[in-house]
Short mmCIF file of all heavy atoms in Angstrom, two decimals:
data_model
loop_
_atom_site.label_atom_id
_atom_site.label_comp_id
_atom_site.label_asym_id
_atom_site.label_seq_id
_atom_site.Cartn_x
_atom_site.Cartn_y
_atom_site.Cartn_z
N VAL A 23 -63.90 38.48 -35.08
CA VAL A 23 -63.97 37.65 -36.31
C VAL A 23 -64.65 36.28 -35.98
O VAL A 23 -65.50 35.85 -36.81
CB VAL A 23 -62.61 37.44 -36.94
CG1 VAL A 23 -62.70 36.50 -38.11
CG2 VAL A 23 -62.05 38.77 -37.40
N VAL A 24 -64.34 35.62 -34.91
CA VAL A 24 -65.06 34.42 -34.51
C VAL A 24 -66.53 34.67 -34.37
O VAL A 24 -67.34 33.87 -34.78
CB VAL A 24 -64.45 33.79 -33.21
CG1 VAL A 24 -65.28 32.70 -32.64
CG2 VAL A 24 -63.03 33.25 -33.53
N ALA A 25 -66.86 35.83 -33.71
CA ALA A 25 -68.25 36.14 -33.50
C ALA A 25 -68.99 36.30 -34.90
O ALA A 25 -70.12 35.78 -35.15
CB ALA A 25 -68.45 37.41 -32.66
N ILE A 26 -68.35 37.00 -35.83
CA ILE A 26 -68.93 37.22 -37.16
C ILE A 26 -69.08 35.91 -37.84
O ILE A 26 -70.11 35.65 -38.52
CB ILE A 26 -68.02 38.17 -37.98
CG1 ILE A 26 -68.07 39.61 -37.49
CG2 ILE A 26 -68.40 38.10 -39.44
CD1 ILE A 26 -67.03 40.45 -37.95
N CYS A 27 -68.09 35.01 -37.82
CA CYS A 27 -68.19 33.65 -38.42
C CYS A 27 -69.27 32.86 -37.80
O CYS A 27 -70.05 32.16 -38.51
CB CYS A 27 -66.84 32.99 -38.34
SG CYS A 27 -65.58 33.69 -39.36
N SER A 28 -69.45 32.94 -36.41
CA SER A 28 -70.43 32.13 -35.82
C SER A 28 -71.84 32.64 -36.17
O SER A 28 -72.77 31.82 -36.47
CB SER A 28 -70.27 32.30 -34.26
OG SER A 28 -69.07 31.73 -33.83
N VAL A 29 -72.02 33.96 -36.28
CA VAL A 29 -73.34 34.49 -36.61
C VAL A 29 -73.59 34.12 -38.11
O VAL A 29 -74.72 33.77 -38.45
CB VAL A 29 -73.36 36.05 -36.41
CG1 VAL A 29 -74.54 36.66 -37.06
CG2 VAL A 29 -73.37 36.36 -34.91
N GLY A 30 -72.61 34.21 -38.90
CA GLY A 30 -72.75 33.76 -40.37
C GLY A 30 -73.16 32.34 -40.48
O GLY A 30 -73.99 32.07 -41.27
N ARG A 31 -72.61 31.45 -39.69
CA ARG A 31 -72.92 30.11 -39.74
C ARG A 31 -74.38 29.86 -39.23
O ARG A 31 -75.19 29.07 -39.79
CB ARG A 31 -71.87 29.29 -38.98
CG ARG A 31 -72.24 27.76 -39.10
CD ARG A 31 -71.18 26.87 -38.44
NE ARG A 31 -71.37 25.51 -38.72
CZ ARG A 31 -70.98 24.49 -37.95
NH1 ARG A 31 -70.34 24.79 -36.83
NH2 ARG A 31 -71.28 23.30 -38.33
N MET A 32 -74.68 30.51 -38.15
CA MET A 32 -76.02 30.31 -37.58
C MET A 32 -77.20 30.97 -38.49
O MET A 32 -78.25 30.44 -38.52
CB MET A 32 -76.15 30.99 -36.18
CG MET A 32 -75.17 30.35 -35.19
SD MET A 32 -75.35 28.56 -34.99
CE MET A 32 -77.02 28.61 -34.26
N ALA A 33 -76.82 32.02 -39.12
CA ALA A 33 -77.80 32.71 -39.99
C ALA A 33 -78.30 31.77 -41.24
O ALA A 33 -79.39 31.93 -41.66
CB ALA A 33 -77.26 34.02 -40.62
N PHE A 34 -77.48 30.93 -41.60
CA PHE A 34 -77.77 30.03 -42.78
C PHE A 34 -77.96 28.58 -42.38
O PHE A 34 -77.92 27.72 -43.30
CB PHE A 34 -76.66 30.16 -43.80
CG PHE A 34 -76.64 31.50 -44.51
CD1 PHE A 34 -75.83 32.46 -44.02
CD2 PHE A 34 -77.47 31.71 -45.57
CE1 PHE A 34 -75.77 33.70 -44.65
CE2 PHE A 34 -77.35 33.00 -46.31
CZ PHE A 34 -76.57 33.96 -45.79
N THR A 35 -78.33 28.28 -41.19
CA THR A 35 -78.54 26.90 -40.79
C THR A 35 -79.71 26.33 -41.41
O THR A 35 -79.78 25.07 -41.60
CB THR A 35 -78.64 26.73 -39.22
OG1 THR A 35 -79.67 27.62 -38.75
CG2 THR A 35 -77.37 27.08 -38.48
N TRP A 36 -80.63 27.05 -41.83
CA TRP A 36 -81.85 26.50 -42.48
C TRP A 36 -81.65 26.05 -43.94
O TRP A 36 -82.41 25.38 -44.47
CB TRP A 36 -82.97 27.59 -42.52
CG TRP A 36 -82.64 28.92 -43.10
CD1 TRP A 36 -81.80 29.90 -42.62
CD2 TRP A 36 -82.94 29.29 -44.44
NE1 TRP A 36 -81.70 30.93 -43.52
CE2 TRP A 36 -82.38 30.52 -44.65
CE3 TRP A 36 -83.68 28.74 -45.46
CZ2 TRP A 36 -82.51 31.24 -45.85
CZ3 TRP A 36 -83.81 29.37 -46.66
CH2 TRP A 36 -83.21 30.67 -46.82
N ILE A 37 -80.55 26.41 -44.52
CA ILE A 37 -80.05 25.84 -45.77
C ILE A 37 -78.97 24.86 -45.54
O ILE A 37 -77.83 25.23 -45.03
CB ILE A 37 -79.60 27.00 -46.81
CG1 ILE A 37 -80.58 28.06 -46.95
CG2 ILE A 37 -79.31 26.37 -48.14
CD1 ILE A 37 -80.19 29.18 -47.70
N PRO A 38 -79.10 23.55 -45.82
CA PRO A 38 -78.06 22.61 -45.51
C PRO A 38 -76.70 22.98 -46.27
O PRO A 38 -76.67 23.09 -47.48
CB PRO A 38 -78.55 21.30 -46.04
CG PRO A 38 -80.09 21.51 -46.28
CD PRO A 38 -80.19 22.95 -46.54
N ASN A 39 -75.63 23.07 -45.49
CA ASN A 39 -74.27 23.20 -45.95
C ASN A 39 -74.11 24.49 -46.81
O ASN A 39 -73.24 24.55 -47.64
CB ASN A 39 -73.83 22.01 -46.73
CG ASN A 39 -73.41 20.88 -45.83
OD1 ASN A 39 -73.47 21.07 -44.55
ND2 ASN A 39 -72.96 19.84 -46.36
N PHE A 40 -74.87 25.49 -46.57
CA PHE A 40 -74.74 26.73 -47.36
C PHE A 40 -74.42 27.80 -46.35
O PHE A 40 -75.26 28.49 -45.92
CB PHE A 40 -76.00 27.01 -48.14
CG PHE A 40 -75.94 28.07 -49.21
CD1 PHE A 40 -75.47 27.83 -50.48
CD2 PHE A 40 -76.27 29.43 -48.82
CE1 PHE A 40 -75.38 28.79 -51.35
CE2 PHE A 40 -76.15 30.40 -49.81
CZ PHE A 40 -75.66 30.08 -51.03
N THR A 41 -73.16 27.94 -46.00
CA THR A 41 -72.73 28.93 -45.01
C THR A 41 -71.49 29.70 -45.52
O THR A 41 -70.73 29.21 -46.34
CB THR A 41 -72.36 28.27 -43.61
OG1 THR A 41 -71.27 27.43 -43.91
CG2 THR A 41 -73.57 27.47 -43.12
N PRO A 42 -71.39 30.90 -45.08
CA PRO A 42 -70.17 31.76 -45.45
C PRO A 42 -68.90 31.39 -44.72
O PRO A 42 -67.85 31.90 -45.00
CB PRO A 42 -70.64 33.16 -45.22
CG PRO A 42 -71.58 33.05 -44.00
CD PRO A 42 -72.27 31.70 -44.22
N VAL A 43 -68.95 30.49 -43.77
CA VAL A 43 -67.68 30.25 -42.93
C VAL A 43 -66.54 29.82 -43.66
O VAL A 43 -65.42 30.24 -43.42
CB VAL A 43 -68.03 29.41 -41.65
CG1 VAL A 43 -68.96 30.10 -40.71
CG2 VAL A 43 -68.53 28.04 -42.07
N THR A 44 -66.62 28.87 -44.61
CA THR A 44 -65.44 28.41 -45.33
C THR A 44 -64.83 29.50 -46.07
O THR A 44 -63.59 29.66 -46.09
CB THR A 44 -65.93 27.14 -46.25
OG1 THR A 44 -66.55 26.14 -45.44
CG2 THR A 44 -64.78 26.60 -47.00
N THR A 45 -65.73 30.32 -46.74
CA THR A 45 -65.15 31.38 -47.53
C THR A 45 -64.54 32.35 -46.59
O THR A 45 -63.39 32.87 -46.91
CB THR A 45 -66.25 32.10 -48.25
OG1 THR A 45 -66.84 31.16 -49.13
CG2 THR A 45 -65.81 33.30 -49.04
N LEU A 46 -65.07 32.70 -45.41
CA LEU A 46 -64.41 33.61 -44.51
C LEU A 46 -63.09 32.97 -43.93
O LEU A 46 -62.13 33.79 -43.81
CB LEU A 46 -65.34 33.87 -43.29
CG LEU A 46 -66.56 34.75 -43.65
CD1 LEU A 46 -67.53 34.77 -42.48
CD2 LEU A 46 -66.14 36.17 -44.02
N PHE A 47 -63.06 31.75 -43.69
CA PHE A 47 -61.73 31.20 -43.24
C PHE A 47 -60.68 31.27 -44.39
O PHE A 47 -59.49 31.57 -44.08
CB PHE A 47 -61.91 29.70 -42.84
CG PHE A 47 -62.93 29.40 -41.73
CD1 PHE A 47 -63.57 28.28 -41.58
CD2 PHE A 47 -63.15 30.44 -40.83
CE1 PHE A 47 -64.40 28.05 -40.61
CE2 PHE A 47 -64.03 30.27 -39.74
CZ PHE A 47 -64.72 28.96 -39.61
N LEU A 48 -61.12 31.03 -45.58
CA LEU A 48 -60.11 31.09 -46.69
C LEU A 48 -59.64 32.49 -46.94
O LEU A 48 -58.53 32.79 -47.14
CB LEU A 48 -60.76 30.54 -47.99
CG LEU A 48 -61.09 29.09 -47.99
CD1 LEU A 48 -61.85 28.71 -49.32
CD2 LEU A 48 -59.90 28.18 -47.83
N LEU A 49 -60.55 33.50 -46.76
CA LEU A 49 -60.21 34.91 -46.95
C LEU A 49 -59.27 35.33 -45.83
O LEU A 49 -58.33 36.10 -46.04
CB LEU A 49 -61.41 35.75 -47.03
CG LEU A 49 -62.19 35.73 -48.32
CD1 LEU A 49 -63.50 36.49 -48.19
CD2 LEU A 49 -61.37 36.16 -49.52
N ILE A 50 -59.46 34.85 -44.58
CA ILE A 50 -58.53 35.17 -43.46
C ILE A 50 -57.25 34.57 -43.73
O ILE A 50 -56.23 35.19 -43.53
CB ILE A 50 -59.18 34.66 -42.16
CG1 ILE A 50 -60.50 35.46 -41.79
CG2 ILE A 50 -58.19 34.83 -41.01
CD1 ILE A 50 -61.28 34.88 -40.71
N CYS A 51 -57.15 33.31 -44.19
CA CYS A 51 -55.92 32.68 -44.53
C CYS A 51 -55.25 33.46 -45.60
O CYS A 51 -54.02 33.64 -45.57
CB CYS A 51 -56.23 31.23 -44.91
SG CYS A 51 -54.75 30.25 -45.23
N LEU A 52 -55.95 33.92 -46.63
CA LEU A 52 -55.33 34.57 -47.76
C LEU A 52 -54.80 35.93 -47.36
O LEU A 52 -53.72 36.37 -47.82
CB LEU A 52 -56.35 34.77 -48.89
CG LEU A 52 -55.96 35.33 -50.20
CD1 LEU A 52 -54.85 34.52 -50.84
CD2 LEU A 52 -57.13 35.52 -51.10
N ASN A 53 -55.57 36.73 -46.55
CA ASN A 53 -55.23 38.06 -46.23
C ASN A 53 -54.53 38.37 -44.95
O ASN A 53 -53.76 39.32 -44.86
CB ASN A 53 -56.51 38.92 -46.38
CG ASN A 53 -57.07 38.97 -47.74
OD1 ASN A 53 -56.35 39.43 -48.67
ND2 ASN A 53 -58.27 38.54 -47.87
#
Side-chain angles (χ1 to χ4, degrees):
V23 173
V24 168
I26 291 168
C27 290
S28 299
V29 169
R31 185 173 185 205
M32 297 304 294
F34 288 93
T35 55
W36 57 280
I37 305 173
N39 282 359
F40 193 83
T41 64
V43 293
T44 304
T45 301
L46 289 171
F47 299 155
L48 295 176
L49 288 172
I50 292 166
C51 186
L52 182 65
N53 293 303

